[in-house]
Amino acid sequence: MNDSPATVVICGASGYIGRYLRRHYEERDIQVKTIGRGTSSDATWSDHRSIVDVLDGADLVVNLAGRSVSCRYNKKNADEIMSSRIQTTAQLGRALADVNTAPELWVNASTGTIYRDSRDRPMDERSGELGSGFSVEVARAWERELFDADVAIRKVALRMSIVLGAGGGAINPIIDLARVGLGGTMGDGGQMFSWVHVADVAQVLDHLYDNRGISGPVNVATPFPVTNTELMHQVRNALGRSHGLPTPAWLLRFGARVIRTEAELVLKSRWVDPQVLTDSGFEFRYPRLDDALANIASETPRGLLPVALG
């Protein structure tokens, strides 16, 4: 790495990825400040002046704030998912306009779900086709709020795929199914599963900070996605399970209603290509799923636990 920020501001630091990033920076003696809803944060979303003070003079701001999408998309939840992303991004834009010394880089979370359901080809930042539906509307509004902010700061929208790492998280139901013998294919099994290890998310942020020519949307996903069939096969292997009963799409939709989530989270084919990263020389620490799962299993006393949904 050529350069390191002296001060990083993380919004949404209480989530899984936020906690990991905080450790990533603090272990290198980089000062971390936080913006959140609780009193333990250095600034709170309800206090504009405190946000300005925290941002002023920082080198990098990373906004991960947003309500979890692992829920039913009823009106109340949908409104909270949308507003939690749009409002915090808008607040950051207003605060950054008031600082005396602006950060070098503003990285805002987004999601690889912004692309259409794709089984025919990967979706990169230049030629990828955006999809439709609620999740895509959220992603588009989220990115629009970032790029429309009237501040002269380099901006990157992190179009994150599903993030894997040791700990709890949004796709643990997949692991739970495999543990009880239901670790077969989900739906027809042909949907693509794009993913990234949380350690590589941290390395991506370092890479973006170093490479000042990168701005705009950036896909954060390994170059080696797998089908759902292959995903479940590797999960079973990591758990030491030779077989798993398949879960048809109709049963997934029914089960999702019971546990108050959306079947889209496992049935949509996400095929995300990290062209900006690979073209700029980024090298993934965990490019292959088997290596990522082996690392996760070695760091988790209970075994394999994927986490966090982008």
Side-chain angles (χ1 to χ4, degrees), residues 145-176:
E145 197 67 47
L146 168 68
F147 294 124
D148 285 352
D150 189 17
V151 290
I153 299 171
R154 182 163 61 101
K155 305 169 190 170
V156 170
L158 281 188
R159 291 180 175 173
M160 285 192 287
S161 57
I162 294 175
V163 180
L164 306 184
I171 61 169
N172 276 352
I174 292 177
I175 305 308
D176 292 338

Side-chain angles (χ1 to χ4, degrees), residues 124-204:
D124 63 38
E125 298 91 342
R126 297 179 181 88
S127 66
E129 301 170 37
L130 303 190
S132 60
F134 172 69
S135 297
V136 174
E137 291 174 9
V138 170
R140 295 181 75 155
W142 204 1
E143 292 190 6
R144 186 165 55 248
E145 197 67 47
L146 168 68
F147 294 124
D148 285 352
D150 189 17
V151 290
I153 299 171
R154 182 163 61 101
K155 305 169 190 170
V156 170
L158 281 188
R159 291 180 175 173
M160 285 192 287
S161 57
I162 294 175
V163 180
L164 306 184
I171 61 169
N172 276 352
I174 292 177
I175 305 308
D176 292 338
L177 287 171
R179 288 186 189 282
V180 299
L182 297 174
T185 57
M186 296 180 170
D188 64 17
Q191 66 271 33
M192 296 300 294
F193 177 80
S194 284
W195 62 275
V196 66
H197 193 288
V198 68
D200 280 319
V201 175
Q203 298 298 324
V204 164

Side-chain angles (χ1 to χ4, degrees), residues 22-246:
R22 184 168 192 165
R23 292 194 301 271
H24 171 75
Y25 290 120
E26 290 180 341
E27 286 171 357
R28 292 153 53 197
D29 294 324
I30 294 172
Q31 183 181 27
V32 175
K33 297 181 180 180
T34 61
I35 302 173
R37 303 194 182 280
T39 56
S40 61
S41 300
D42 296 295
T44 60
W45 292 114
S46 59
D47 185 347
H48 174 78
R49 188 69 247 172
S50 72
I51 299 174
V52 173
D53 291 342
V54 163
L55 293 171
D56 201 357
D59 299 297
L60 168 65
V61 55
V62 181
N63 181 23
L64 305 169
R67 187 200 194 283
S68 170
V69 297
S70 184
C71 61
R72 295 297 293 175
Y73 294 163
N74 56 41
K75 186 178 186 310
K76 178 178 180 296
N77 290 340
D79 287 348
E80 290 179 359
I81 288 171
M82 180 72 83
S83 64
S84 65
R85 287 158 173 75
I86 305 308
Q87 290 178 8
T88 53
T89 302
Q91 284 178 273
L92 274 181
R94 290 191 294 269
L96 286 166
D98 288 344
V99 300
N100 293 315
T101 304
E104 149 66 21
L105 174 62
W106 175 6
V107 176
N108 218 69
S110 182
T111 171
T113 300
I114 198 170
Y115 300 109
R116 66 170 171 85
D117 184 294
S118 176
R119 300 189 184 207
D120 57 322
R121 69 177 182 89
M123 298 286 126
D124 63 38
E125 298 91 342
R126 297 179 181 88
S127 66
E129 301 170 37
L130 303 190
S132 60
F134 172 69
S135 297
V136 174
E137 291 174 9
V138 170
R140 295 181 75 155
W142 204 1
E143 292 190 6
R144 186 165 55 248
E145 197 67 47
L146 168 68
F147 294 124
D148 285 352
D150 189 17
V151 290
I153 299 171
R154 182 163 61 101
K155 305 169 190 170
V156 170
L158 281 188
R159 291 180 175 173
M160 285 192 287
S161 57
I162 294 175
V163 180
L164 306 184
I171 61 169
N172 276 352
I174 292 177
I175 305 308
D176 292 338
L177 287 171
R179 288 186 189 282
V180 299
L182 297 174
T185 57
M186 296 180 170
D188 64 17
Q191 66 271 33
M192 296 300 294
F193 177 80
S194 284
W195 62 275
V196 66
H197 193 288
V198 68
D200 280 319
V201 175
Q203 298 298 324
V204 164
L205 289 174
D206 292 339
H207 182 78
L208 294 174
Y209 187 78
D210 282 347
N211 289 265
R212 300 189 176 187
I214 299 176
S215 62
V218 173
N219 291 344
V220 184
T222 173
F224 302 103
V226 295
T227 63
N228 177 266
T229 296
E230 179 62 20
L231 164 69
M232 299 312 297
H233 172 71
Q234 293 202 33
V235 167
R236 292 195 306 273
N237 281 349
L239 291 171
R241 306 294 174 107
S242 58
H243 301 287
L245 294 175

